[in-house]
Amino acid sequence: MRFFGVPVARSRDLGRGHAWTLHHVTLEDGRELFVKKGYDFSTEAHGLRWLGPPSAEVLDAEGDVLVLPWLPPEPPSEEAARRLGRDLAAMHARGAPHFGAAWPGHIADLPLDNTPGEEWTSWYAERRVLPYLRMARDADALGPSDARAVEDALGRAHQPAEPPSRIHGDLWSGNVLYSGGRAHLVDPAAHGGHRETDLAMLALFGAPRLGDVLAAYTEVAPMADGWRARVPLHQLHPLLVHVVLFGGSYRTALLDAAAAI
């Protein structure tokens, strides 16, 4: 096997991620690569390129292979976390023409409806929450009363209007890799969305040094009043995705978020 015309010296399997396999590859010239195999990665590659910094660089994406630089992990320093906050603010500020995207999306290996919309609250309900609520109901991971609780929460939702931001869309802590003194974003579900979505996703599973990230972000791009109270609204979508993928173990967290709206 070769990459960029250079033979592979070593390849270490790193396991599976949903429908694909993961590999740490070292070429004979010493370069190290992170390689994903076994899926159509065209949307992921396009998303990384569209987002720009601080996303990881796409070295190659052809067929069922995606090649990124190997990023040796390191604990985040305060400065690296603050740099991430500033970089996220700059990425969001690059904006998008509308909510959604001009390409079909996915999150993990589930389809993601990127049909464009002009008003965030209804777009979020129709394209991000209700499709996965139906999937969870169909899989018997949620019952009728659970579904009504989520629907009632959407009816109470209010989000101050902002223009579409250029967002990662799946920004949990595992998709933020600290290496070389800075953060690199991977595995996006990139689209035009609300910037509060990315910040809420960072909070969902406890990103390290989140306080430093948020402090630096808000210094550059102040948030609308009450944004912390809206975090559960933005977490409905990723929690529903987890219910669909992993079953009812995420049911309580989903219903807690719905009740908090």
Side-chain angles (χ1 to χ4, degrees):
M1 183 182 295
R2 293 171 175 262
F3 290 95
F4 319 115
V6 180
V8 171
R10 295 182 301 280
S11 179
R12 179 166 62 95
D13 292 342
L14 302 175
R16 299 190 65 86
H18 302 289
W20 46 87
T21 59
L22 311 172
H23 311 271
H24 176 196
V25 170
T26 303
L27 303 183
E28 287 191 352
D29 63 7
R31 281 181 289 175
E32 295 182 86
L33 310 173
F34 177 73
V35 178
K36 301 173 74 170
K37 293 182 181 178
Y39 196 70
D40 180 358
F41 298 108
S42 56
T43 297
E44 181 176 342
H46 178 77
L48 288 168
R49 290 166 172 150
W50 181 72
L51 290 171
S55 294
E57 179 187 7
V58 177
L59 300 179
D60 194 18
E62 283 197 24
D64 66 346
V65 175
L66 176 68
V67 183
L68 307 176
W70 177 253
L71 300 170
E74 63 188 25
S77 65
E78 178 183 349
E79 179 49 39
R82 291 184 62 84
R83 177 175 176 177
L84 172 60
R86 296 189 295 268
D87 286 348
L88 284 176
M91 182 183 81
H92 291 162
R94 287 195 281 274
H98 42 60
F99 298 109
W103 53 86
H106 65 259
I107 185 163
D109 52 2
L110 297 175
L112 191 65
D113 186 350
N114 278 337
T115 302
E118 300 301 324
E119 190 276 321
W120 182 83
T121 304
S122 60
W123 178 87
Y124 177 70
E126 294 167 7
R127 307 300 176 193
R128 290 295 180 267
V129 176
L130 295 177
Y132 301 93
L133 186 60
R134 288 190 289 268
M135 289 183 203
R137 280 288 311 278
D138 291 345
D140 293 325
L142 295 177
S145 63
D146 301 332
R148 283 194 298 272
V150 174
E151 291 165 350
D152 290 346
L154 289 175
R156 298 191 302 271
H158 172 69
Q159 178 69 59
E162 288 191 3
S165 294
R166 189 168 300 210
I167 74 168
H168 180 282
D170 191 14
L171 197 59
W172 72 288
S173 59
N175 286 341
V176 181
L177 304 181
Y178 284 94
S179 184
R182 52 165 292 194
H184 308 259
L185 309 186
V186 298
D187 294 348
H191 62 279
H194 202 291
R195 62 194 180 118
E196 290 180 14
T197 295
D198 274 350
L199 303 186
M201 190 68 178
L202 278 176
L204 184 55
F205 300 120
R209 290 195 175 273
L210 181 59
D212 293 323
V213 175
L214 295 178
Y217 184 101
T218 55
E219 287 171 7
V220 176
M223 306 296 291
D225 290 345
W227 71 273
R228 290 184 185 275
R230 293 187 292 274
V231 165
L233 171 62
H234 291 266
Q235 291 178 342
L236 286 183
H237 170 237
L239 285 169
L240 275 165
V241 168
H242 278 71
V243 171
V244 172
L245 288 173
F246 306 115
S249 59
Y250 287 92
R251 172 182 172 273
T252 299
L254 170 68
L255 296 180
D256 287 347
I261 294 170

